[in-house]
Amino acid sequence: MAIILSKDEAKKIIDKVLSYSKADEMSVNLTGGRTGNIRYARNSVSTSGEGTNLSLAVTAVFGKKSGTATVNEFDDASLEKTVRRAEEIARLAPENPEYMPMLGPQTYLSTDPYSENTAKMDPAYRAQATFDSLDPCRKKNLVAAGYMEDSTRFNAIGNSKGLSAYNRETSVEFSITVRTADGLGSGYATQDVTDVSKLSTKNMTEIAMQKAMASVNARALEPGKYTVILEPAALVSNVDASLMVALVRSMDARNADEGRSFLSKKGGGTRLGEKLFDERVTIYSDPTNLEVPTGAFSGDGRPQEKVTWIEKGVVKNMPYSRYWAEKKGVHATPPGGNFIMEGGTQSLADMIKGTEKGILVTRLWYIRPVDPQTLLYTGLTRDGTFYIENGQIKFPVKNFRFNESPVIMLNNLEAMGKPVRIGGNLVPPLKIRDFTFTSLSDAV
Amino acid sequence: MQRRNFIQLSGLGIGSLLTTGVPVLGHSVSSEYLLEASGRGVGIDNAAKKRLADIALNAAKSKGATYTDVRIGRYLQQFMFTREMKVQNIVNAESFGVGIRVIANGTWGFAATSNVTPDGIAKAAETAVAIAKANSKLQTEPVQLAPQKGVGEVTWKTPIKKNAFEIPVQEKIDLLMKVNGEAMKNGAAFMTSNLFFINEQKYFASTDGSYIDQDIHRIWPTFTVSVVDRAAGKFKTRDALSSPMGMGYEYLDGLASEKIAAPNGLIGYRNSYDMVEDAMLAAKQTKEKLTAKTVQPGKYDLVLDPNHLGLTIHESVGHPTELDRVLGYEANYAGTSFATLDKWKSKSFNYGSKLVNIVADKTQPNTLGTVGYDDEGVPCKKWDLIKDGILVNYQAIRDQVAILGEKESNGCCYADNWDSVQFQRMPNVSLQPGTEKRSVADMIKGVDKGIYIIGRGSYSIDQQRYNFQFGGQLFYEIKNGEITGMLDDVAYQSNTQEFWNSCAQLCDKDDYRTFGSFFDGKGQPSQVSAVSHGCPTTRFNGVNVINTGRKI
């Protein structure tokens, strides 16, 4: 059986599974995909592989009791056995007082997060892309460590209430760290795309090489409050927690209502409608955006919407679970599949030119929450930190540890650059005043 | 299971875990199915597994592999999530398949399949060889594999007393409801509790002549208590003081003999955990946290409980002594290490004070990292990393030990699933107890200005493992040898070498306990591993404490 099923092929299987149901309600989730990867370090490939997976999950419901069973065999007997198993678990499960009946048919936006170029990637393509990254590093006696992972997948859901949804998508993530042979310099670059023809491992590697060479012999500056230019990779990470993702994911309405969120109001209630950020801050989700397209539905089948979370600094919307939305009598907005932060038109170079004194930060690392009440996070700069004076990068500086909250950060906004895709989102480089560095790190 | 999926399932915050991404580990199945003899993989006896493994070994050899190992694995998980008096989710997962690793043209190749048939296995072996040959064009130096004598047909099992998968689901849910109920009765506004059980059934074979069957069990009970003061607009939380363990369900027996009394009514749990008691104490302590005094920044002598210090050991000793990090294999992701080869070669690098003796040990009973053999067929052992404060060794596997001039692997290779390639992972890394008889109360009596820290809180360390910042769950101010009250907004910052050189006093073996992590992340694509860290309560002098309180 193919791994990437078409909409019709997927629906046929789902309908067959639903025909076996004896439960009050039943939903079926069918997923399949292929991933490939190549990893290199010390200027040589270390591991590489490819994997495929196709599986089906069946959820059966009796009253408010539900059970799920999955299978990755697709003959009729296996599918029926899986349905019976889900029903058996549902009968045994404890009742869930917060259970919400399944959704009926939904209307979805038209989105297109799929690229045939990416779907066709093979080991030879990966090896060439890796060579394009390794070769310039070897020639300049620099040491490369990088990783590329591509994914092609589909997801289809259907239920006994008539809901039917299908999504097919591709993605490629590439990252490269280049270090000088003496270990005194390190640079980083990363790019993620839906269509691999938009990725250049060579161009990304050149950026990382320049940063590595320029970051040798870093000088120590005193920790304290500095104006910083945070590149998009310092605001959103593909592999770690990050300040902007932390902010967007901390906006859940139930937590705010329950008094345990930065959006909880003293004395009760939430801060919905309050201006909490600089008026230039606008953040929204849009599954149809051509640069960062996502699937048209959330995991529980709700339509993804174009929804504004923060508009001109004011909290406009919060994501709700279906249960909590019903309890509060509001629309059940799901969390977005992406987020887009509006910015300006300046390039990063323009922003550096316009900076009298500041620090350019390539990447932040090991970002962890310190206090959920204030969204205070700690972490460190890494792989390219530079001092800016009179519009020019003057010299590399040693890495810092920061303790900062994205809420405070977005109130200290000086300037915003042109948004770029990072981690499936659109985020501009930001110039922030009074960013709090609390200690120095000797790490390169 | 992907870490992000785990977080979705559990509702846990990102700070609750050590990892930054992990691969999918199986499909959700019913509890009964996990134990069924007809379940995939269960029905295959070792003789059949040996026949299948030999197919992989022969197929790879016929295509030109000079070395092959094969892992046939069945991985079971059961996770339970509750909130207040409600069951949020029960997840049973099972994953079965085979992973084949080869060396061909001096280069590693790897392929995995869930098609565990003679044809499927042979095809995967051929794919692994083809990948190795394709990648050899980019390879600069051939793999040097340390010799390993075949161990023949052997078995090993975690010595559990109660198989958690055989305990009825209702009994486990009843426990969690009792835990949540006690916390709510004692002042919790919100309460989540979770049980995690893992069973790895692994069959390993290699061209060295090893056929190793292992049955590995792990358990982790945990919870988070939340208390809210709506009028003041404040909330505080406290996590469980349990530890993930390499044990069966008997860890939840709550034996009095395994409890260690500490000042202020605090209780340390050794090899047996009383979850209900801990939840009750947690609710009371979390209420106290709402009115705790904010800390005055400055230098303090820190008295660190094992449930806290274990994480500091993990981050500041465990990771920097991984040889693959030292060599640069993790440079693009988790980073490199300050503990470079020149420091080790000098035989005089002061990693810590003379009191600091840290061992790596994959044989320690009840711990997460303990197995009989690692995932490249090497019998497990114990070895020194830091001896009397000096860096003396690393954690190395078969393709690394030649760099150290050694001929034998340390036996710390691991893959988190059959479809993941094995690589160097951290063994249990533990600080040895002091030789002088000393309780926690004795230690506190000797501190003039200090803070006693319990439990794992916020944690962050740089990519070469120098600069770190740690929080905790509970902070008690010590003045003139006595605890005077609870503190809030505490985090300490230090440099790894300075910190371990400030180690001034250790409690003895009677206070020794283990901390653990289920989800330690590393590698691209990222994998998880489970690991324990033992230590006694330990004092560090003159550490920099910052105040983390801010207003928004």
Side-chain angles (χ1 to χ4, degrees):
Chain A
M1 180 175 279
I3 294 298
I4 308 297
L5 302 184
S6 68
K7 188 176 180 178
D8 287 345
E9 289 169 331
K11 189 164 187 323
K12 208 170 163 187
I13 293 173
I14 289 170
D15 287 346
K16 184 190 286 182
V17 173
L18 290 173
S19 74
Y20 297 135
S21 174
K22 293 176 184 170
D24 296 345
E25 292 184 321
M26 179 162 287
S27 72
V28 183
N29 190 332
L30 184 59
T31 57
R34 176 189 62 79
T35 61
N37 66 65
I38 188 160
R39 187 186 200 202
Y40 49 104
R42 291 164 66 88
N43 279 349
S44 187
V45 67
S46 51
T47 56
S48 174
E50 194 168 292
T52 57
N53 189 29
L54 179 66
S55 73
L56 180 139
V58 179
T59 298
V61 178
F62 293 98
K64 291 193 165 193
K65 296 157 68 134
S66 72
T68 300
T70 74
V71 70
N72 59 0
E73 294 164 279
F74 289 84
D75 58 280
D76 290 357
S78 295
L79 295 178
E80 184 165 5
K81 184 179 171 187
T82 307
V83 169
R84 297 287 90 80
R85 194 178 296 286
E87 289 169 349
E88 184 185 337
I89 302 167
R91 287 191 182 97
L92 292 169
E95 192 167 275
N96 178 4
E98 296 187 3
Y99 177 75
M100 293 295 293
M102 289 178 187
L103 290 170
Q106 302 289 307
T107 303
Y108 298 112
L109 292 170
S110 176
T111 70
D112 187 18
Y114 181 82
S115 154
E116 197 62 31
N117 289 328
T118 302
K120 285 192 297 197
M121 281 179 74
D122 61 15
Y125 190 103
R126 290 180 207 116
Q128 182 61 47
T130 301
F131 177 79
D132 293 345
S133 172
L134 281 177
D135 190 49
C137 294
R138 286 170 174 166
K139 284 177 177 160
K140 291 220 168 171
N141 194 32
L142 296 166
V143 184
Y147 181 68
M148 181 166 64
E149 181 175 304
D150 57 278
S151 172
T152 305
R153 54 197 180 273
F154 83 96
N155 177 213
I157 57 178
N159 69 26
S160 53
K161 295 272 192 75
L163 182 142
S164 179
Y166 176 86
N167 179 57
R168 188 178 64 158
E169 63 186 284
T170 56
S171 62
V172 186
E173 287 181 6
F174 172 75
S175 59
I176 172 76
T177 301
V178 177
R179 294 174 67 79
T180 56
D182 59 10
L184 297 178
S186 184
Y188 176 80
T190 184
Q191 190 181 1
D192 61 277
V193 292
T194 300
D195 179 350
V196 72
S197 69
K198 293 180 180 170
L199 170 69
S200 169
T201 57
K202 187 169 181 288
N203 290 350
M204 285 294 107
T205 302
E206 278 171 5
I207 293 168
M209 287 168 66
Q210 285 168 12
K211 291 203 172 188
M213 290 185 286
S215 65
V216 173
N217 296 325
R219 298 187 209 170
L221 292 185
E222 282 296 313
K225 288 185 183 291
Y226 285 88
T227 293
V228 294
I229 295 177
L230 300 173
E231 293 194 34
L235 291 161
V236 171
S237 168
N238 283 323
V239 294
D240 194 12
S242 53
L243 292 172
M244 288 308 300
V245 173
L247 174 73
V248 173
R249 288 192 182 163
S250 298
M251 295 183 71
D252 178 72
R254 184 172 185 174
N255 279 343
D257 280 320
E258 289 179 341
R260 43 182 178 158
S261 160
F262 80 100
L263 290 174
S264 301
K265 202 191 304 192
K266 192 174 175 179
T270 76
R271 304 185 76 172
L272 188 69
E274 287 188 28
K275 185 172 174 298
L276 288 188
F277 309 98
D278 183 285
E279 64 189 10
R280 285 167 290 177
V281 176
T282 292
I283 299 174
Y284 62 96
S285 293
D286 182 2
T288 66
N289 185 287
L290 295 177
E291 287 183 80
V292 288
T294 64
F297 54 93
S298 62
D300 59 4
R302 279 183 283 173
Q304 287 290 10
E305 310 159 25
K306 182 174 179 183
V307 54
T308 301
W309 308 110
I310 299 166
E311 186 174 40
K312 294 181 179 173
V314 177
V315 180
K316 297 294 281 188
N317 281 292
M318 291 191 254
Y320 279 79
S321 66
R322 291 181 56 221
Y323 167 75
W324 199 248
E326 187 182 76
K327 196 175 166 74
K328 292 289 174 182
V330 299
H331 175 62
T333 308
N338 62 10
F339 71 87
I340 295 156
M341 181 171 183
E342 290 185 350
T345 55
Q346 285 187 317
S347 68
L348 187 64
D350 294 335
M351 291 178 77
I352 293 167
K353 272 184 201 160
T355 301
E356 194 181 334
K357 282 184 181 175
I359 292 170
L360 176 67
V361 178
T362 298
R363 181 186 187 189
L364 296 177
W365 171 245
Y366 219 136
I367 303 168
R368 290 295 180 274
V370 176
D371 183 358
Q373 179 110 41
T374 56
L375 275 195
L376 184 70
Y377 278 73
T378 191
L380 300 116
T381 64
R382 174 179 173 182
D383 302 324
T385 310
F386 303 96
Y387 181 67
I388 303 165
E389 198 172 273
N390 298 325
Q392 288 190 321
I393 290 175
K394 286 289 180 184
F395 50 80
V397 293
K398 285 195 171 190
N399 287 309
F400 289 105
R401 169 172 296 287
F402 70 86
N403 274 265
E404 193 52 271
S405 163
V407 183
I408 294 170
M409 187 178 92
L410 293 181
N411 274 288
N412 292 339
L413 193 57
E414 290 273 306
M416 307 163 87
K418 189 181 173 203
V420 299
R421 176 167 167 159
I422 185 86
N425 311 292
L426 282 178
V427 179
L430 299 179
K431 185 153 91 176
I432 307 288
R433 66 179 172 274
D434 293 335
F435 193 84
T436 311
F437 291 125
T438 53
S439 55
L440 277 179
S441 159
D442 288 325
V444 176
Chain B
M1 162 175 288
Q2 287 215 343
R3 176 174 173 268
R4 68 186 70 131
N5 293 347
F6 169 79
I7 291 166
Q8 283 166 0
L9 289 165
S10 66
L12 288 176
I14 211 158
S16 312
L17 307 167
L18 286 174
T19 71
T20 49
V22 289
V24 168
L25 196 58
H27 312 289
S28 178
V29 295
S30 73
S31 306
E32 295 71 24
Y33 180 72
L34 297 180
L35 299 169
E36 277 177 10
S38 60
R40 293 186 307 153
V42 181
I44 304 177
D45 63 20
N46 281 357
K49 286 179 187 169
K50 184 170 186 290
R51 282 195 295 276
L52 290 169
D54 282 337
I55 288 168
L57 302 182
N58 292 330
K61 189 178 178 184
S62 71
K63 291 292 178 184
T66 53
Y67 168 84
T68 303
D69 59 39
V70 50
R71 291 173 294 113
I72 301 172
R74 183 178 185 243
Y75 293 74
L76 308 181
Q77 301 171 325
Q78 185 174 71
F79 297 164
M80 300 179 150
F81 306 104
T82 73
R83 164 188 180 131
E84 286 90 60
M85 303 313 288
K86 290 167 279 202
V87 178
Q88 286 179 298
N89 205 355
I90 300 170
V91 180
N92 298 312
E94 187 252 14
S95 178
F96 178 62
V98 59
I100 299 164
R101 186 177 68 151
V102 304
I103 298 175
N105 289 359
T107 306
W108 284 121
F110 177 75
T113 180
S114 58
N115 182 7
V116 191
T117 63
D119 283 352
I121 286 174
K123 196 174 171 192
E126 289 168 15
T127 302
V129 175
I131 288 172
K133 287 182 176 174
N135 289 344
S136 68
K137 293 168 193 160
L138 298 169
Q139 182 90 352
T140 48
E141 291 176 15
V143 174
Q144 279 191 60
L145 200 59
Q148 177 59 51
K149 200 176 167 189
V151 297
E153 293 185 39
V154 294
T155 61
W156 188 89
K157 181 176 181 171
T158 306
I160 57 170
K161 292 176 182 150
K162 296 178 189 173
N163 185 342
F165 291 88
E166 291 175 354
I167 304 293
V169 168
Q170 192 60 51
E171 186 175 331
K172 297 167 193 167
I173 292 299
D174 287 348
L175 171 66
L176 294 183
M177 290 299 103
K178 193 171 177 192
V179 165
N180 295 4
E182 282 301 320
M184 303 297 284
K185 264 196 277 179
N186 283 279
F190 302 99
M191 176 74 180
T192 58
S193 63
N194 314 301
L195 291 175
F196 306 126
F197 310 111
I198 285 175
N199 175 211
E200 295 183 354
Q201 300 166 12
K202 302 198 287 193
Y203 188 83
F204 172 93
S206 76
T207 44
D208 296 323
S210 292
Y211 295 91
I212 302 166
D213 186 54
Q214 300 195 89
D215 185 21
I216 298 147
H217 292 258
R218 303 189 192 110
I219 180 172
W220 182 22
T222 189
F223 61 73
T224 299
V225 168
S226 300
V227 173
V228 179
D229 180 343
R230 284 183 189 271
K234 285 175 77 174
F235 65 94
K236 294 289 173 191
T237 64
R238 199 271 241 178
D239 294 341
L241 297 179
S242 59
S243 174
M245 302 292 281
M247 298 179 71
Y249 201 72
E250 68 274 8
Y251 178 55
L252 286 163
D253 285 349
L255 300 177
S257 58
E258 294 296 320
K259 293 178 187 178
I260 296 174
N264 265 43
L266 293 159
I267 298 170
Y269 299 100
R270 199 156 28 198
N271 293 313
S272 188
Y273 177 54
D274 190 333
M275 196 174 188
V276 176
E277 175 186 70
D278 193 31
M280 196 170 60
L281 288 170
K284 292 174 180 171
Q285 290 160 354
T286 313
K287 275 201 294 186
E288 201 181 342
K289 282 173 88 167
L290 276 175
T291 53
K293 188 171 79 173
T294 194
V295 71
Q296 193 67 36
K299 300 273 186 187
Y300 288 84
D301 293 348
L302 300 183
V303 175
L304 302 181
D305 180 78
N307 201 286
H308 171 90
L309 182 58
L311 182 55
T312 311
I313 294 169
H314 175 91
E315 301 286 15
S316 67
V317 182
H319 280 307
T321 55
E322 293 170 322
L323 188 55
D324 60 344
R325 288 185 64 118
V326 173
L327 297 174
Y329 285 96
E330 286 285 327
N332 185 48
Y333 178 35
T336 58
S337 172
F338 76 92
T340 47
L341 292 176
D342 58 312
K343 294 187 175 86
W344 163 70
K345 282 177 187 162
S346 75
K347 298 180 180 174
S348 61
F349 179 68
N350 268 106
Y351 207 113
S353 73
K354 288 191 173 173
L355 294 173
V356 177
N357 288 283
I358 296 184
V359 298
D361 188 359
K362 283 186 71 77
T363 66
Q364 189 177 348
N366 302 326
T367 59
L368 297 166
T370 289
V371 290
Y373 304 85
D374 79 348
D375 280 350
E376 49 185 9
V378 178
C380 290
K381 64 177 185 180
K382 177 179 178 180
W383 69 101
D384 292 318
L385 294 174
I386 298 169
K387 184 81 180 156
D388 300 326
I390 304 293
L391 173 67
V392 295
N393 210 339
Y394 295 104
Q395 310 155 43
I397 58 174
R398 290 182 69 182
D399 62 4
Q400 299 171 337
V401 288
I403 291 161
L404 303 178
E406 293 178 7
K407 292 178 180 166
E408 188 181 86
S409 164
N410 296 137
C412 51
C413 197
Y414 175 77
D416 67 2
N417 200 26
W418 55 266
D419 62 359
S420 306
V421 67
Q422 60 268 60
F423 69 128
Q424 192 275 308
R425 296 312 307 261
M426 198 187 300
N428 303 307
V429 171
S430 301
L431 173 67
Q432 299 304 281
T435 51
E436 286 178 39
K437 181 80 184 155
R438 183 174 291 116
S439 68
V440 181
D442 295 337
M443 186 177 278
I444 285 172
K445 272 180 202 161
V447 175
D448 289 334
K449 180 194 174 193
I451 304 173
Y452 180 32
I453 302 179
I454 295 116
R456 158 183 165 170
S458 180
Y459 51 94
S460 173
I461 191 165
D462 70 38
Q463 78 277 11
Q464 287 188 311
R465 307 273 149 176
Y466 285 116
N467 174 304
F468 62 69
Q469 177 176 312
F470 288 94
Q473 291 296 320
L474 298 167
F475 310 98
Y476 291 95
E477 185 175 35
I478 306 169
K479 275 187 181 170
N480 303 320
E482 288 187 357
I483 288 175
T484 55
M486 199 181 262
L487 291 173
D488 195 15
D489 306 321
V490 178
Y492 62 93
Q493 289 187 348
S494 189
N495 165 291
T496 293
Q497 195 184 5
E498 286 173 13
F499 176 78
W500 284 103
N501 273 287
S502 75
C503 179
Q505 207 171 57
L506 300 151
C507 287
D508 65 278
K509 62 179 171 50
D510 289 341
D511 187 59
Y512 183 91
R513 281 162 276 159
T514 56
F515 163 93
S517 167
F518 249 37
F519 299 111
D520 177 31
K522 187 178 161 188
Q524 290 177 303
S526 188
Q527 295 185 37
V528 291
S529 78
V531 61
S532 293
H533 303 286
C535 60
T537 305
T538 304
R539 173 178 164 180
F540 297 83
N541 284 351
V543 181
N544 190 39
V545 169
I546 65 165
N547 184 306
T548 61
R550 299 285 293 269
K551 297 259 186 238
I552 59 170

